[in-house]
Amino acid sequence: MGNKPMKQRLTATKKRITNRLSKAPNEYANASNYEATSVSTNSDHGLYERLAVGGHYEEIRNLRIRQDLFVVALDIGTSSSGYAISSYDSYKRDPLQISTFSWKSRTDGFQHFKTLSAVLLNPSGELHSIGYDAEYHYINSLQEEERQQWFYFQNFKMMLYNHQISRDLILHDVKGKPQKALKIFAFIIQGLREDFTTRLAEQITLGEGAVDEDIHWVITVPAIWDEKAKQFMREAAALYCRFLPVEKLKGSSQDEEISQLKTFSPGAQYLIVDLGGGTVDITAHEILPNGALKEIVAASGGNWGSLVINDEFINLIEDLTETDIMKFIKENHPDDFLTFMSVFENKKRVFSKDDDRVILHVPQSIRDIMCERLGKSVEDHIEEIDRAQEVKFQRDKMYIYNEAFTKLLSGTIEKIVLHVTAVIESNKLKVDSIVLVGGFAECDLLKSTFRTSFPDTRILVPEDPVLAVLKGAVLCGRNPQILQTRVCRYTYGICTTVDFDEKYYTPDKKIHIGGNTLARDIFNIHIKANETVHIGQKGTPKKYYLNRDDQDQLDLEIYASTKTKPKYTTEDGVFYLGILVIKIPQMAAVCNKSRYFSVSFLLDGTEMEVEAVDSATNETTGVKFDFIG
C-alpha cells in the first residue's frame, strides 16, 4: 500500500461507490437495516428465515458481498497481532488482493508480518505504545527503577486460559503488577486501530469523520474465549485457504497441480489446523456447490500452542542450572529475559530437522546470574553434569544440538498430531488435505512430522501462514454468509421450571410456587451438541411465561453442556454462559400471568442470536445478552 498508484485507486474506488449509491438509493433499501426477513434459497435447506445483515451488498460469484469502501480486520493473537485491509474494487478483481503491513522490530532489526501482542502503560495507567515499540521502549528507554512504575504486558491472551471471564478479571504484567484485562485488550485494539488510520491517512484523504463511515471493521477475538469467538478464527482461516490458488500453497509438486486444484472444488473436504501461540484449533469443512463452506465436524483443540515450547525451553535452562532461575531473571532483568526469549521464539520457527545445532545469543546479565548461582562457569558445570552432548555454552552463545532441540518441540507436536488423528478417525473423515495455518505452521519440524504421520494426505501450508486468519477475517467481513452450516460443539439451553413428575424428576428438584408443584433447574434444550445447524435458520421456538402483572423484563439464564441431552442445569458437564434479558412492553389490558414469549435460537455468521416473540402483540421484542457478567 505504500505507493502513489494505490492511493489513486483508493480515491477512484470511493468516488465510484459514492456515485453509484447516490444514484440508486432504493436499490439497497431492504438491505440497509438489520431486520428479520424471509429469504428463498435454492440450497438443500429449502425456504427458511434468515437474519438480514445491515450494509450495502452486491452479488459477486453467486455470493452477497458487502460494498464498504474498505474492510479492515484486526487480529489479536497470543504472541503477535496485526491488521489487513481490502478495498472494494480490489476484492472484485481478486478476493486475495489483501494488503498487510510489515512491522520493524528495533530489538532484532527484522521486519515482521505482525507486531508483538504487547502493551506498555505509563505510571498513570495510560497507553504509551503497543507491539515492538512497546517492547523497545520498555527494554531500552526505561531504567530499572522506572520499570517498577510502568506496566508492560506481553503474551497476555494466554493469561485468560481456563479462567472465568468477567469484566473485573485482573491481568498481571511481567513484574506482577495488576491491571484490568478488559482495559489491556481495549488498549491493544486502540493501538492497532490508530496505527492503521495513521498509515491510511498517508495513502488517501477521506475527509473529516470518513474513516468510520467508509470502513467495515472486523475483529478476530482470542481463540481461548467462548465458542462463538473461537469459531470466527477457525472460519477465517478456512475461508482464506478456500480461495488460495495452487501456487499459494506449499506442499505438493508440479505433477500434483491438477489434483490439488480439485482439493478445493465443490464436494472436497479438508482439515484446517490453526497453530497459534497459545492454542491449536482444528475444524473440518466441505466446499458446497455455490462455493460456500459447510462445517462437517464440531471444532476442537487444546492449549498446545507454540508458547508451550517456550515453557519447555525454560524448563531446560532450569534443569541445566537451578530451579526458578529464569523466574528470577524475568523479575530482575526483564529486558534481557524478553530479548533472550525473543531469540528463541525466532529459532524454533526456522529450525529444521537437518540442522546440526541452534545458536542462541545469551545476554551478559543472564550468564552472570548463572555463574553466580552455580559458583563456577556455565561451561564447567555442563561438563560436570554430563550434558555436553545436549548443549554447550561459549562466551555469549548457547548451542543446543539437534537431538535436544528436537526434544523441546516434539512433545507438543506429537500431541497435535495425535489429536488430529483422533478427529479424522473418530469421525471417519475422508479429507483430501490438511491445511496448516498460524505462526507455528512455519516450523519445519512440525511440517515434516505431519507429512510422515499422514502419508496419504496432502499437507498444505499457505506461503504466509501467520497471516491466514487475518486475511481470512477480511474475506469473512466482505462475505459474512460464506459459512452456511455449522456443527455445534455444545448443547445450548435455558434454565426453566416445569410441572413436577415424580417418575421423571428427582425429589430434590421439587418446589411449590403459587399452589403449583414444579421441578426446578430444568435444562430446556434449544440446540444440541453435534447438531448441524444452518446459518440463519431459527430453531424450534419454546415458550417462557411471565410470573407477575408488574413484570417489566424476563431474565433467562443460558447454559451449555458437552452432553447431547442434559436434564438439569446443575449436573456435571453443564456450565453457565450468561443471562438473556427480554424487555417487556407494558400493556394495561393484558394479564401477564397468561403472557409468554416464544424464544428461538439461531446462528448468524459467527454470532448466536435469539429472537423473542411477545404472545400479546405477536411482535419481536428487544433481547440483550450478557455473557461476561
Side-chain angles (χ1 to χ4, degrees):
M1 263 185 79
N3 51 45
K4 191 171 182 179
M6 172 62 81
K7 179 175 180 177
Q8 293 172 342
R9 290 198 301 272
L10 298 182
T11 305
T13 299
K14 182 181 180 182
K15 184 177 180 180
R16 284 193 292 274
I17 292 177
T18 303
N19 289 341
R20 181 168 62 252
L21 295 180
S22 63
K23 290 178 181 177
N26 295 326
E27 181 180 355
Y28 306 101
N30 293 331
S32 61
N33 296 315
Y34 192 75
E35 59 184 3
T37 60
S38 182
V39 179
S40 178
T41 173
N42 294 324
S43 71
D44 296 335
H45 318 324
L47 178 67
Y48 58 88
E49 291 195 339
R50 296 184 62 88
L51 205 63
V53 182
H56 300 300
Y57 286 81
E58 178 180 354
E59 291 286 339
I60 299 177
R61 305 178 187 91
N62 298 319
L63 298 172
R64 296 182 69 234
I65 305 302
R66 290 188 66 100
Q67 287 185 305
D68 304 86
L69 180 57
F70 302 111
V71 170
V72 181
L74 308 181
D75 180 29
I76 303 170
T78 300
S79 55
S80 60
S81 299
Y83 53 80
I85 177 175
S86 166
S87 71
Y88 177 67
D89 272 3
S90 295
Y91 181 91
K92 290 201 298 181
R93 288 191 300 270
D94 178 4
L96 291 183
Q97 283 192 16
I98 299 172
S99 299
T100 57
F101 299 85
S102 62
W103 306 74
K104 184 175 182 179
S105 168
R106 288 189 286 174
T107 301
D108 62 22
F110 294 112
Q111 296 282 346
H112 300 267
F113 285 125
K114 296 165 74 175
T115 192
L116 282 180
S117 293
V119 174
L120 179 64
L121 310 183
N122 64 23
S124 299
E126 300 166 338
L127 179 64
H128 175 273
S129 52
I130 68 165
Y132 288 118
D133 289 341
E135 177 194 50
Y136 184 84
H137 187 82
Y138 185 76
I139 292 176
N140 296 285
S141 301
L142 298 178
Q143 300 296 321
E144 180 55 35
E145 57 272 17
E146 292 178 301
R147 295 193 193 105
Q148 299 295 334
Q149 306 300 319
W150 288 61
F151 300 85
Y152 181 73
F153 293 85
Q154 185 173 334
N155 299 334
F156 49 85
K157 193 178 79 172
M158 280 308 293
M159 297 179 189
L160 302 181
Y161 195 80
N162 284 337
H163 282 74
Q164 182 66 40
I165 297 177
S166 74
R167 293 184 176 88
D168 295 323
L169 183 65
I170 297 297
L171 299 181
H172 295 87
D173 77 345
V174 294
K175 283 185 168 291
K177 300 188 297 295
Q179 286 285 342
K180 282 191 175 183
L182 198 59
K183 177 179 179 180
I184 301 304
F185 277 93
F187 275 146
I188 195 165
I189 292 173
Q190 174 187 333
L192 289 172
R193 184 186 183 281
E194 290 176 352
D195 186 273
F196 165 74
T197 52
T198 299
R199 298 202 203 197
L200 183 63
E202 297 173 355
Q203 306 297 324
I204 178 173
T205 302
L206 290 173
E208 185 68 27
V211 169
D212 288 329
E213 175 186 329
D214 293 313
I215 295 176
H216 176 57
W217 295 92
V218 180
I219 299 178
T220 66
V221 290
I224 56 169
W225 285 2
D226 61 26
E227 189 59 24
K228 63 181 180 182
K230 294 179 184 178
Q231 190 66 39
F232 185 89
M233 298 189 74
R234 290 188 292 267
E235 290 166 10
L239 176 57
Y240 173 58
C241 294
R242 159 71 183 92
F243 277 98
L244 282 176
V246 172
E247 63 270 17
K248 294 290 185 180
L249 287 164
K250 305 173 184 177
S252 61
S253 65
Q254 292 291 332
D255 294 337
E256 292 178 305
E257 184 168 321
I258 295 178
S259 60
Q260 189 167 323
L261 276 170
K262 185 179 177 181
T263 299
F264 297 106
S265 300
Q269 297 182 354
Y270 61 98
L271 207 68
I272 291 285
V273 183
D274 181 7
L275 301 147
T279 60
V280 173
D281 295 310
I282 302 165
T283 192
H285 288 89
E286 179 180 324
I287 308 299
L288 298 176
N290 65 350
L293 301 177
K294 171 186 177 181
E295 189 176 68
I296 54 178
V297 174
S300 61
N303 58 330
W304 315 306
S306 62
L307 289 183
V308 176
I309 298 170
N310 291 14
D311 294 337
E312 291 293 331
F313 174 61
I314 290 174
N315 291 338
L316 173 64
I317 296 293
E318 295 186 344
D319 187 43
L320 293 171
T321 56
E322 186 180 75
T323 302
D324 291 337
I325 191 170
M326 291 296 283
K327 180 180 179 181
F328 177 84
I329 292 169
K330 180 179 179 180
E331 293 174 350
N332 293 276
H333 299 274
D335 50 347
D336 288 334
F337 175 84
L338 292 171
T339 300
F340 190 38
M341 294 306 297
S342 178
V343 172
F344 176 76
E345 180 75 28
N346 292 328
K347 294 291 185 179
K348 75 183 180 186
R349 291 190 177 188
V350 301
F351 173 70
S352 168
K353 59 184 179 63
D354 297 323
D355 291 341
D356 293 331
R357 61 188 181 181
V358 171
I359 304 175
L360 306 176
H361 171 73
V362 183
Q364 186 62 45
S365 67
I366 294 180
R367 281 188 55 85
D368 290 345
I369 291 171
M370 288 180 176
C371 292
E372 180 182 343
R373 292 290 187 91
L374 297 171
K376 65 190 75 168
S377 71
V378 184
E379 292 87 342
D380 290 343
H381 176 72
I382 296 299
E383 290 288 346
E384 289 179 8
I385 62 174
D386 197 24
R387 303 288 289 273
Q389 73 280 6
E390 300 176 43
V391 299
K392 175 184 177 182
F393 283 83
Q394 188 173 20
R395 294 188 292 275
D396 63 344
K397 299 290 190 300
M398 177 183 182
Y399 301 84
I400 307 179
Y401 295 107
N402 181 286
E403 185 176 348
F405 203 87
T406 298
K407 186 178 179 180
L408 290 177
L409 279 64
S410 60
T412 299
I413 292 174
E414 287 172 4
K415 290 178 182 178
I416 298 170
V417 168
L418 285 173
H419 187 76
V420 171
T421 302
V423 169
I424 294 174
E425 292 181 352
S426 62
N427 295 283
K428 299 180 180 179
L429 298 180
K430 297 180 180 179
V431 295
D432 301 301
S433 305
I434 297 175
V435 184
L436 308 179
V437 301
F440 195 31
E442 297 174 319
C443 176
D444 182 77
L445 181 62
L446 180 139
K447 289 183 285 189
S448 62
T449 303
F450 261 83
R451 292 186 180 110
T452 302
S453 303
F454 305 97
D456 299 324
T457 305
R458 294 182 190 83
I459 307 301
L460 306 175
V461 184
E463 65 178 1
D464 50 0
V466 70
L467 297 176
V469 169
L470 185 55
K471 290 186 175 182
V474 173
L475 295 173
C476 282
R478 280 283 174 210
N479 181 12
Q481 297 176 347
I482 187 67
L483 186 78
Q484 294 196 349
T485 68
R486 178 183 303 162
V487 179
C488 286
R489 186 176 183 183
Y490 297 108
T491 296
Y492 295 95
I494 292 176
C495 182
T496 189
T497 57
V498 299
D499 291 335
F500 184 81
D501 184 343
E502 62 182 9
K503 296 179 180 177
Y504 191 68
Y505 302 113
T506 56
D508 62 302
K509 298 300 180 185
K510 182 189 293 187
I511 57 173
H512 300 280
I513 299 178
N516 298 315
T517 302
L518 305 174
R520 60 183 173 89
D521 302 329
I522 304 303
F523 194 120
N524 197 15
I525 298 173
H526 279 261
I527 300 176
K528 290 183 179 180
N530 298 313
E531 178 182 354
T532 297
V533 179
H534 303 303
I535 302 302
Q537 183 178 9
K538 291 189 299 184
T540 303
K542 299 195 175 184
K543 298 177 182 179
Y544 296 91
Y545 287 84
L546 305 186
N547 298 319
R548 308 183 315 273
D549 284 339
D550 62 345
Q551 195 168 344
D552 60 0
Q553 73 178 39
L554 180 62
D555 297 336
L556 301 175
E557 294 181 346
I558 301 177
Y559 287 81
S561 175
T562 54
K563 300 178 181 179
T564 304
K565 295 181 179 180
K567 189 173 182 179
Y568 303 116
T569 58
T570 54
E571 62 190 62
D572 292 339
V574 175
F575 52 94
Y576 173 76
L577 284 180
I579 194 165
L580 176 68
V581 180
I582 302 175
K583 295 296 183 181
I584 304 172
Q586 294 301 305
M587 300 176 65
V590 175
C591 175
N592 274 358
K593 290 185 178 180
S594 61
R595 190 177 179 184
Y596 62 84
F597 284 82
S598 294
V599 177
S600 303
F601 280 52
L602 71 158
L603 297 177
D604 175 59
T606 60
E607 299 283 342
M608 179 180 291
E609 303 285 347
V610 170
E611 181 181 276
V613 179
D614 190 343
S615 65
T617 63
N618 203 34
E619 294 180 353
T620 301
T621 189
V623 174
K624 177 186 176 183
F625 276 115
D626 188 353
F627 279 144
I628 300 179

